[in-house]
Amino acid sequence: MEAFWISLVVIFVAELGDKSQLMAMTFATRFKAWPVLAGITIATTVVHLLSVAVGGLVGDLLPTTAIAVVAGIAFLGFAAWTLRGDELTEEESGKAARTTRSALIAVTVAFFLSELGDKTMLATITLATQHGWLGTWIGSTVGMVAADALAIVVGRMLGRHLPEKVIRYGAAAAFAVFGVVLIGDALL
């Protein structure tokens, strides 16, 4: 359960202000909310399963202290990445707007491809080196889907995003705190 809750919170925060949320909002303006949410859930489930598999292998091969320090540094990197911000490129935005195929297929493929190598995938790998794979997988998947569902609801209700600066600074601060705690626990 600890892996579930930690992963849920970390990935939820990581997803705030991420380009995936922007994609979710874009798709939600074109399609009904349920197929968009279902596509996000399918893609996230697969990507995060791959992530915990990689994280589990790395966790078994490296010493715990080294993993904790690297994980802490990674979270500090995620904080910087979050401060930099994420935006949809013109191409990504255009693909979301032009899609005429099934909404479920379009959203699933778009999210799967956009999440490969994204900070939430890397954060899930990092979490899986520290915690059990099942709790990390389920928690990270639920956290990401919840954050994207929030974007869909907010996008549909308000027609615009939450204040980006506030989201970006809050998420970056949370990553920095997680990073410092991981490094501190490893070295003390």
Side-chain angles (χ1 to χ4, degrees):
M1 282 309 289
E2 180 182 347
F4 170 82
W5 288 110
I6 290 171
S7 298
L8 187 147
V9 170
V10 167
I11 298 304
F12 181 87
V13 169
E15 188 63 8
L16 295 177
D18 193 66
K19 72 178 177 182
S20 301
Q21 273 196 319
L22 298 175
M23 285 178 61
M25 292 172 94
T26 302
F27 277 121
T29 63
R30 182 161 170 89
F31 302 117
K32 293 181 181 178
W34 287 113
V36 173
L37 193 58
I40 291 168
T41 302
I42 293 166
T44 301
T45 300
V46 173
V47 169
H48 288 206
L49 182 59
L50 295 171
S51 301
V52 296
V54 169
L57 289 173
V58 170
D60 290 343
L61 298 174
L62 296 175
T64 307
T65 302
I67 290 171
V69 170
V70 170
I73 292 168
F75 275 96
L76 293 175
F78 298 150
W81 188 347
T82 301
L83 278 176
R84 184 194 71 178
D86 235 349
E87 294 179 6
L88 286 176
T89 65
E90 286 294 321
E91 182 182 341
E92 290 168 328
S93 186
K95 282 181 186 175
R98 286 191 311 266
T99 301
T100 56
R101 289 178 248 145
S102 165
L104 179 65
I105 293 170
V107 173
T108 301
V109 171
F111 268 81
F112 180 81
L113 294 175
S114 74
E115 284 305 307
L116 294 177
D118 193 50
K119 71 181 171 189
T120 50
M121 180 183 186
L122 299 174
T124 302
I125 291 170
T126 303
L127 288 165
T129 65
Q130 301 282 310
H131 305 285
W133 74 271
L134 184 61
T136 301
W137 176 44
I138 295 170
S140 65
T141 300
V142 170
M144 185 160 166
V145 171
D148 288 336
L150 176 64
I152 291 168
V153 169
V154 169
R156 291 185 69 86
M157 286 175 49
L158 301 178
R160 54 189 165 92
H161 354 311
L162 293 171
E164 262 187 70
K165 243 184 196 176
V166 172
I167 293 169
R168 196 167 53 236
Y169 291 154
F175 272 124
V177 168
F178 288 133
V180 169
V181 167
L182 280 170
I183 292 170
D185 284 347
L187 298 178
L188 299 178

